[in-house]
Amino acid sequence: MPLPLNYTLDQKVGEGTYAVVYLGKQTLTGRQIAVKQIKTGGFKDGLDMSALREVKYLQELRHENIIELVDVYATPENLNLVLEFLPYDLEMLIRDREVIFTPGDVKSWMLMFLRGLHHCHRNGILHRDLKPNNLLISPSGSLKIADFGLARSLGLPDERLTSNVVTRWYRAPELLFGSIHYTEAVDVWAAGIIFAELMLRTPYLPGADDADQLIVTFKALGTPTESNWPGVSNLPLYDSIEVFSQPSRQELRNRFLAATEAALDMMSQMVELDPSKRNDTTGLLLQKYFVEFPLPTEPELLPKRTKKET
Amino acid sequence: MSKVVFESEFLPITTVLVSLFTRVFLEEMSVNDTKPTTKRVSNDDLYRRSSQYRVWSFTSEELQRRRQDNNLNGTKVVKQRVDDLEATTPELQEVKESGVEPITVDEEAKIVAYYARKASDVAHFFKLPTQARATAISFLKKFFLMHSVMEYHPLNVMYSCIFLAAKSENSFIGIKTFTGAMPKLTPESILENEYPILESLQFTLLCQHPFRPLYGFYLDVQAVLPKADKSRLGQGYDRARKIVNESLFSDTCFLYTPPQIALAALWEVDSVVVERYLARKFGYKKKKDDGLASVKEDPSEEPTDVKEENTEEETKLDVQEEEIKAKTPEQHYNFIMTIVKKCSQHIHEALNPSLEEAKIISTKVHFCLEPKKLAKKLAKQRLTDAKTPEVSVSLEAESLKREPDSDVSLREDLKRAKID
């Protein structure tokens, strides 16, 4: 049984409602780690559900592109998750104006991201909160999917899921319409929007609120109708929305100036309105985009953050 | 040491059969190669990485040894408790001599099975989905693979397991609702066990149960044997579900994979269909006089055709697993049938102790946990009875006479509370 003594907690780096995060070291190896201390006392309903989810899913997922749960230990006051140390996230890089992204860099991040996501999906696990600040970067440049507090196992065909998941800008149209039977496709959509953001260096679909999110989304990618998405009008929140036409290839080219045809192909397959037509991670990993020139940048050579924490 | 479920002989059933109902394998591409090199990851590989395999799969001997060790520990703890009774307790000698009998290994198994069944009733009462119900039972069984009932009374642990399982399986029940609906429960009594349970589970919460693979097989049997009678398969599926449910109260989840248990359940209700299905799946031509002729098949559909129809992923899996390739279809078939039959026997070993039996054990557990109570009881008895009857006899009689305990009479309480 691991003892708290196995780790030193050197520096408090964050505090949330149910957890405090420390940076520290594994005493034996000197390895840098982050410890998420989850408060166990004082909660009406006991241990926090997202903490439970995080433990539950990270225990099952071991992959180069998913944050590693090094250890879990209990102290009388806290449940402690020992996680690998990942100094910054993709959002910080995207916002860092001094950092220049090459197409090879974007490709490298997307490849690592989709490999990690594929591992989640083949284990029957939906992440449900993909966004740039949940994609962490290791000191050696590897991208790792983190924060499984909203994750869940893939539902049975008749199981009802809550549509109130995923941060608004990355929310798939089936979720915007309140669907309670959704699949891995919601993660693929979010990944597609992140792909767009990596190319644009600015959020692709920044809705101001839930209603605006519909408009922003459909202006950019077209309004779902019975003709492009059979059955969509039966979804709970589907309403008569202004019908925007789907963007032509040329319009997409104009929006994503540096993207190759293969890159646009891949993105289009990720942001298909109809979730049943959206490609899955298996298909995406086999895209031409990943083998055509330019090749993905080696992780160690990817741009690093220039600014220090503010 | 290799575990029963994964002796190398085990490989075929997961590689070939698990892939029938879950998404399979995929390329792990190397980032920087011009030509992506691919390495297939089979469902066996994925299952081997799961905590259910890493932490919670055992051989029968390992299980037995673990239970004996727990029991030994528990017995020590009880002895210590009795010894710790103050010397001033006048009944100390009597308690020591006769009253507190440690629970035996068999009794432990029975009382845990009893509460596992009760956990199922309570889960039904709260209308929890099957997944959450099965997980609650699994948590309870795992907890008592780490502890003796002489350390924790299974009743309290049971409620906490249900509460925790509901939370872990996205079927959250508020603590007020939960305790309000059950007799004599307080939020503290539930929450105080959350932590010990999590630790006993070694922080592994994900449980795979046989219900999903059972459904997968049900669909795949229809695909592989298109001429089979649909209503026969449907009825078989319903009955197999009941057997899978019964398996929750046995050790099968520690000894076999969920698909193996599902297959065993299906085989039990319709061996003809399952054997035909497996023979087809492996391209094994059985002789005509094997009794399978009763399932009507188009004679043109030869097993070899089916082999060609096999999905792409299975072919790839075959390429990957050299050992499988080396096996003949007949060896595959026979190997899996051996597992199925063994597993089916294990399902029938599920314990189902009677209420009376459970009452007696439960009373003993109470005294083991709190020998002081027994001492007091004996003192009271001595005051009322001029002559003290033989203690061990009185103890048993006592337990049967006792006011219906909140725990053992719960089934009745639930009935009164209008289940469904």
Side-chain angles (χ1 to χ4, degrees):
Chain A
M1 196 48 68
L3 294 167
L5 287 176
N6 291 351
Y7 307 97
T8 59
L9 306 185
D10 304 332
Q11 188 197 346
K12 188 169 167 179
V13 288
E15 179 153 15
T17 42
Y18 79 94
V20 185
V21 182
Y22 291 91
L23 292 187
K25 284 201 176 67
Q26 198 166 29
T27 334
L28 202 64
T29 60
R31 178 182 178 187
Q32 271 201 300
I33 43 111
V35 177
K36 203 168 188 173
Q37 275 198 343
I38 294 155
K39 299 165 197 164
T40 51
F43 291 99
K44 184 170 82 52
D45 293 306
L47 266 176
D48 184 85
M49 224 165 141
S50 45
L52 277 183
R53 285 190 186 127
E54 183 119 47
V55 176
K56 174 176 172 178
Y57 294 113
L58 285 182
Q59 283 281 24
E60 309 297 325
L61 297 168
R62 308 271 144 161
H63 190 276
E64 166 66 20
N65 301 114
I66 295 173
I67 188 169
E68 184 194 350
L69 181 63
V70 179
D71 196 359
V72 188
Y73 65 88
T75 50
E77 301 294 309
N78 296 302
L79 177 64
N80 301 274
L81 311 192
V82 182
L83 297 160
E84 71 179 304
F85 169 67
L86 300 166
Y88 54 96
D89 64 54
L90 200 55
E91 189 186 10
M92 295 172 180
L93 276 184
I94 293 172
R95 305 282 169 266
D96 189 338
R97 286 289 143 203
E98 286 167 42
V99 174
I100 292 162
F101 292 179
T102 68
D105 298 342
V106 172
K107 190 174 293 186
S108 181
W109 283 315
M110 283 310 291
L111 183 54
M112 293 189 279
F113 177 20
L114 287 175
R115 288 171 69 201
L117 188 57
H118 176 68
H119 190 66
C120 298
H121 289 175
R122 72 178 168 190
N123 278 287
I125 296 168
L126 309 186
H127 184 284
R128 304 200 302 177
D129 196 16
L130 293 173
K131 54 183 172 185
N133 74 358
N134 282 339
L135 303 178
L136 307 188
I137 309 292
S138 80
S140 64
S142 279
L143 179 149
K144 317 252 179 180
I145 301 176
D147 197 344
F148 283 73
L150 260 185
R152 68 159 293 157
S153 305
L154 191 59
L156 289 163
D158 55 346
E159 206 175 345
R160 303 162 69 91
L161 313 177
T162 169
S163 59
N164 190 20
V165 293
V166 188
T167 305
R168 192 192 304 125
W169 298 348
Y170 306 94
R171 210 176 281 162
E174 62 269 34
L175 297 174
L176 297 174
F177 287 143
S179 173
I180 51 167
H181 301 293
Y182 53 84
T183 63
E184 302 99 311
V186 299
D187 284 342
V188 171
W189 174 279
I193 304 304
I194 293 169
F195 185 25
E197 186 167 335
L198 280 170
M199 294 191 279
L200 299 171
R201 295 295 294 270
T202 182
Y204 182 38
L205 305 173
D209 52 46
D210 288 358
D212 188 45
Q213 190 63 41
L214 286 167
I215 296 166
V216 170
T217 303
F218 302 145
K219 247 186 193 161
L221 295 163
T223 305
T225 58
E226 277 298 322
S227 65
N228 60 27
W229 178 354
V232 66
S233 59
N234 299 325
L235 291 176
L237 303 179
Y238 186 84
D239 214 344
S240 49
I241 320 151
E242 193 179 341
V243 176
F244 302 100
S245 56
Q246 283 182 274
S248 68
R249 186 65 171 204
Q250 194 50 49
E251 283 169 309
L252 283 180
R253 280 186 199 118
N254 296 343
R255 185 83 174 86
F256 298 92
L257 284 169
T260 64
E261 291 302 304
L264 286 180
D265 281 346
M266 181 162 103
M267 197 194 75
S268 309
Q269 292 173 34
M270 298 172 85
V271 296
E272 271 285 350
L273 296 170
D274 181 348
S276 68
K277 292 181 202 146
R278 220 169 287 152
N279 208 340
D280 59 14
T281 51
T282 308
L284 293 170
L285 282 168
L286 299 172
Q287 289 286 303
K288 183 181 168 212
Y289 169 68
F290 287 118
V291 287
E292 74 168 4
F293 189 81
L295 297 179
T297 311
E298 303 246 7
E300 309 83 70
L301 303 179
L302 283 167
K304 304 261 187 307
R305 212 161 140 245
T306 58
K307 279 183 203 155
K308 285 281 157 225
E309 188 78 47
T310 47
Chain B
M1 214 190 81
S2 72
K3 299 168 183 182
V4 155
V5 284
F6 271 118
E7 280 164 0
S8 63
E9 283 294 285
F10 169 78
L11 286 168
I13 189 150
T14 41
T15 39
V16 182
L17 293 177
V18 176
S19 59
L20 303 180
F21 50 85
T22 50
R23 290 283 194 71
V24 204
F25 75 93
L26 199 75
E27 295 73 27
E28 303 226 305
M29 284 207 206
S30 126
V31 182
N32 302 303
D33 291 353
T34 325
K35 278 186 185 169
T37 54
T38 60
K39 191 183 98 198
R40 309 284 178 206
V41 175
S42 70
N43 272 313
D44 263 3
D45 295 332
L46 292 180
Y47 190 74
R48 269 191 214 93
R49 294 178 199 176
S50 72
S51 63
Q52 185 156 314
Y53 174 67
R54 285 184 286 123
V55 184
W56 298 109
S57 295
F58 305 96
T59 63
S60 296
E61 296 73 36
E62 283 171 339
L63 271 186
Q64 185 60 18
R65 206 176 316 128
R66 207 173 251 256
R67 289 188 172 126
Q68 280 164 350
D69 289 350
N70 288 341
N71 184 262
L72 220 60
N73 268 338
T75 308
K76 269 188 210 151
V77 172
V78 172
K79 278 224 173 74
Q80 192 58 46
R81 274 193 207 118
V82 173
D83 289 345
D84 288 352
L85 280 181
E86 291 162 40
T88 50
T89 311
E91 291 73 24
L92 178 61
Q93 207 46 42
E94 281 172 46
V95 174
K96 270 190 177 171
E97 275 166 17
S98 52
V100 184
E101 277 176 60
I103 313 290
T104 66
V105 177
D106 284 350
E107 284 173 325
E108 290 216 36
K110 275 185 187 162
I111 197 73
V112 172
Y114 178 83
Y115 282 105
R117 286 179 190 272
K118 205 149 64 179
S120 187
D121 295 345
V122 176
H124 275 305
F125 173 77
F126 283 112
K127 299 192 164 57
L128 286 179
T130 308
Q131 174 74 18
R133 182 171 61 90
T135 296
I137 297 167
S138 165
F139 285 179
L140 182 73
K141 290 196 297 187
K142 288 169 180 170
F143 184 87
F144 287 107
L145 273 188
M146 307 295 283
H147 298 283
S148 160
V149 298
M150 291 178 272
E151 296 171 81
Y152 292 86
H153 196 290
L155 171 71
N156 306 331
V157 177
M158 175 196 80
Y159 283 120
S160 303
C161 283
I162 297 166
F163 180 73
L164 190 63
K167 225 193 283 191
S168 175
E169 298 289 357
N170 284 293
S171 304
F172 177 71
I173 308 168
I175 191 77
K176 285 263 164 61
T177 318
F178 189 82
T179 52
M182 292 287 126
K184 295 182 194 169
L185 280 190
T186 60
E188 297 72 41
S189 70
I190 301 299
L191 299 181
E192 72 183 7
N193 286 327
E194 266 197 327
Y195 224 30
I197 292 171
L198 264 184
E199 277 197 280
S200 302
L201 293 173
Q202 296 169 56
F203 307 104
T204 61
L205 294 161
L206 197 122
C207 297
Q208 304 179 44
H209 303 297
F211 295 99
R212 263 182 102 138
L214 180 69
Y215 186 64
F217 281 124
Y218 168 59
L219 296 181
D220 198 54
V221 168
Q222 294 178 50
V224 171
L225 307 175
K227 298 276 163 69
D229 178 11
K230 292 279 182 290
S231 76
R232 170 179 177 168
L233 295 182
Q235 284 164 15
Y237 171 70
D238 291 340
R239 283 165 57 210
R241 245 188 100 85
K242 292 199 174 104
I243 295 174
V244 161
N245 195 58
E246 185 64 14
S247 80
L248 301 177
F249 309 111
S250 72
D251 281 340
T252 46
C253 66
F254 298 125
L255 303 168
Y256 302 91
T257 66
Q260 289 171 338
I261 301 167
L263 207 51
L266 270 179
W267 176 77
E268 240 177 77
V269 298
D270 200 335
S271 59
V272 176
V273 160
V274 169
E275 285 170 22
R276 163 65 59 124
Y277 165 73
L278 288 176
R280 286 246 153 174
K281 215 60 204 173
F282 293 111
Y284 167 45
K285 290 182 194 179
K286 288 191 110 190
K287 294 194 182 77
K288 279 294 169 194
D289 60 350
D290 61 2
L292 291 189
S294 61
V295 182
K296 273 200 170 174
E297 284 294 334
D298 187 334
S300 68
E301 286 179 52
E302 285 300 312
T304 43
D305 297 336
V306 176
K307 186 115 205 225
E308 278 168 16
E309 283 166 24
N310 274 356
T311 54
E312 192 192 6
E313 50 260 29
E314 282 167 43
T315 320
K316 283 172 186 163
L317 286 165
D318 280 344
V319 173
Q320 194 208 11
E321 302 285 356
E322 301 260 321
E323 295 163 67
I324 293 179
K325 218 178 171 185
K327 273 208 163 85
T328 67
E330 186 174 359
Q331 283 169 327
H332 273 161
Y333 175 86
N334 290 333
F335 174 68
I336 284 168
M337 280 314 301
T338 313
I339 293 182
V340 163
K341 285 173 185 168
K342 261 201 239 164
C343 179
S344 140
Q345 274 171 15
H346 267 114
I347 295 175
H348 288 291
E349 287 167 15
L351 296 171
N352 192 3
S354 68
L355 181 64
E356 282 65 37
E357 233 180 325
K359 269 188 186 179
I360 294 169
I361 304 172
S362 174
T363 306
K364 284 176 79 176
V365 172
H366 275 300
F367 288 143
C368 283
L369 288 166
E370 288 175 282
K372 217 170 186 170
K373 263 194 183 165
L374 177 62
K376 278 183 189 159
K377 204 153 214 152
L378 289 173
K380 208 172 150 192
Q381 222 164 44
R382 204 161 43 191
L383 285 177
T384 48
D385 304 351
K387 263 169 127 190
T388 312
E390 208 201 308
V391 176
S392 61
V393 174
S394 80
L395 179 61
E396 276 194 17
E398 184 71 21
S399 65
L400 285 171
K401 261 191 296 170
R402 282 175 64 176
E403 279 293 295
D405 228 1
S406 67
D407 51 326
V408 277
S409 63
L410 184 90
R411 270 171 204 232
E412 288 85 86
D413 287 347
L414 286 177
K415 266 179 215 153
R416 260 177 265 134
K418 274 198 230 159
I419 309 174
D420 285 357

